[in-house]
Amino acid sequence: MGARPPTNDLEQTQVANLNDLEDQLERRRAPQKPHLVVLSGENLHEIYRLDDAETVIGRGTGATVRLRDDGISRRHVRVFQEGEEVWVEDLESANGTFVNQERITRRLLRDGDRIRLGSTTILKFTSDALEGNLEARMYERALRDGLTNAFNKRFFLDRLRDELAYARRHTTALSLVLYDLDHFKRINDTYGHPTGDYVLVTTAGIVQQTVRAEDVFARYGGEEFAILCRGVPLGGAGILAERLRRAFELHPFEHEGHRLPVTASFGVASAEELAAEVPDDLVRGADEALYEAKRGGRNRVLLRHAR
């Protein structure tokens, strides 16, 4: 009996890939647990598996799924299973529950149904976890800047409107930090746009590692970025801005053999200090402070105080 010929790496890889494919197909054939995917609102991109017979959604501590939305009641809605069917029922919430734009009291859920709760939260119901994950990723990409992975301006302005309304209703702090990279055009003109992109991505990464999970970090336009800080007064936002300014100044920016001096100017404003009534009030205040920081020599932080 002759010796068995050695199995080559390609053959092993093909077998492994075939096994992986069969496993994936088996998982697809198996009964799927229903899921809720957050398409908009503060819990954006989160996915909740509906394992239990009943899931209560609200903003109170007693809810199975807690959502951060001022328009959601403490026990807003319940999702429950009857056999293979999944139903949604409003729990006499203050602002109602809507499925596909229709206000409901109790309704059978179908794949793809959109459930709106409160002022900003939209959930998608799906029985396929893989589809839910894919949709969440696609929706997230639509809200992100493709280069820096910061949120885009549209998302930022939507959140600014909602956060300001919340801060005014509850008399809580809300601050905005705007920063602009100093002499960024000079970097592009001298070293090329790939180097400029490297600077944008690197500075954005520094910010993302510094801000809190509840802060909204967005690319406002070009080399200008915004950070919306919930519950943070003017002085606290100024401390954050100074921390970032210092981090940019000290970071060793190097790209394709070139050492790059990178700094930024920061403008900070708070809704309380300015008695801001509309989003433009807060943006204008931070932008005025940013302009003064640039006019005063750049690489500095300026706070916009009430006049």
Side-chain angles (χ1 to χ4, degrees), residues 129-149:
L130 297 176
E131 178 190 347
N133 278 286
L134 175 62
E135 174 131 5
R137 290 196 299 270
M138 291 176 64
Y139 198 79
E140 180 173 7
R141 283 198 293 269
L143 300 177
R144 298 276 182 179
D145 172 58
L147 178 65
T148 64
N149 202 41

Side-chain angles (χ1 to χ4, degrees), residues 112-124:
D113 279 349
R114 261 69 168 176
I115 306 168
R116 181 165 65 83
L117 314 172
S119 56
T120 64
T121 300
I122 298 176
L123 310 172
K124 177 186 175 182

Side-chain angles (χ1 to χ4, degrees), residues 161 164-165 168 271 274-282:
R161 182 191 65 243
L164 181 58
R168 284 172 56 80
L274 300 179
E277 297 184 355
V278 295
D280 280 351
D281 293 339
L282 193 55

Side-chain angles (χ1 to χ4, degrees), residues 265 288-300 302:
S265 301
E288 288 174 355
L290 173 58
Y291 175 77
E292 290 298 325
K294 284 188 160 303
R295 194 172 69 171
R298 294 183 169 84
N299 189 26
R300 61 187 61 204
L302 262 178

